[in-house]
Amino acid sequence: MGVRAVKQERAVRTRAALIRAAAEVFAESGFAGATVTQIAERAGLTLGAMYFHFRSKEMLAREIVATQPDLVVPPLESEGLQHAIDLTLTWAYQLRDNPVLLAGARLVMDQELFLERSENSHQQWTKVLMEDFEVARNRRELRAGVDEEGLARLIVNACTGAQMHARLESDHLDLPARVEEIWRFLLPAVAVPSAAKRVELGAARGRTQ
């Protein structure tokens, strides 16, 4: 392995360490309570090393929020309505142990401090779910008149609220059950009967281990 390749590999590891450290600090202290010194110390790096990769904690927070959907990969293949369900359940299960997802959840209320409104996580997740609901429409899984964008916003808002209450009441342990409850009440209203009967809920749709 050449010198350049070694340096690149080291840079990748350093960047990953900083993101994880920042996620842990943001999850514990929120955006306002976190400092660059805390983040650098948690990563075991100097401030100089941190600033080489990220010029501010705002940049770190933006990186954490922007990468949230990439981290949520359902354990089973699916399409349309089932994939939307699997995505939310996987998020609910993984958030309990993944520091980057936990940080994203904690940063929800502080996004105006480091993101433009058009870039916030609500918009981001709405676009992700809209793609699933557009597929669901083409597969004739949705009832006539269901607005895909409105449904995506509703799911994002409901999951955000479920996350906040689960954090306060169970330290996120019951978040998957709360997300399942959302779908159990919502499916009869938005899905055609055959699709509502066909989709599956439960730990197998979201638990990756």
Side-chain angles (χ1 to χ4, degrees), residues 11-26 36 38-54 60 63-64 100:
V12 169
R13 288 200 305 268
T14 300
R15 185 180 177 86
L18 282 166
I19 291 172
R20 183 178 181 87
E24 291 174 353
V25 174
F26 286 140
V36 291
Q38 289 174 322
I39 294 169
E41 289 178 352
R42 182 71 62 94
L45 298 167
T46 64
L47 282 174
M50 175 181 161
Y51 285 130
F52 179 80
H53 293 274
F54 297 97
L60 274 162
E63 179 74 12
I64 287 169
V100 180

Side-chain angles (χ1 to χ4, degrees), residues 29-162:
S29 306
F31 180 79
T35 68
V36 291
T37 300
Q38 289 174 322
I39 294 169
E41 289 178 352
R42 182 71 62 94
L45 298 167
T46 64
L47 282 174
M50 175 181 161
Y51 285 130
F52 179 80
H53 293 274
F54 297 97
R55 293 192 301 273
S56 64
K57 71 175 184 178
E58 286 81 3
M59 286 186 66
L60 274 162
R62 284 196 293 272
E63 179 74 12
I64 287 169
V65 170
T67 58
Q68 297 279 297
D70 296 333
L71 300 175
V72 183
V73 180
L76 302 174
E77 291 188 10
S78 57
E79 291 183 314
L81 192 55
Q82 182 68 67
H83 189 267
I85 292 169
D86 293 351
L87 195 67
T88 55
L89 284 174
T90 303
W91 166 80
Y93 277 105
Q94 289 187 343
L95 185 141
R96 300 183 300 181
D97 303 309
N98 187 312
V100 180
L101 291 178
L102 279 168
R106 182 70 186 269
L107 290 169
V108 162
M109 301 306 296
D110 296 324
Q111 292 181 83
E112 74 278 4
L113 300 176
F114 57 86
L115 281 175
E116 297 294 331
R117 288 186 178 181
S118 60
E119 300 174 338
N120 67 44
S121 64
H122 298 89
Q123 298 290 342
Q124 183 182 42
W125 281 109
T126 296
K127 290 177 182 177
V128 170
L129 287 172
M130 273 181 62
E131 294 178 3
D132 283 335
F133 294 140
E134 287 169 1
V135 173
R137 171 69 67 196
N138 292 333
R139 289 163 56 92
R140 299 182 179 180
E141 295 176 338
L142 297 180
R143 289 181 179 274
V146 171
D147 174 11
E148 289 93 338
E149 183 176 359
L151 177 58
R153 282 198 303 268
L154 177 60
I155 293 296
V156 172
N157 291 338
C159 287
T160 300

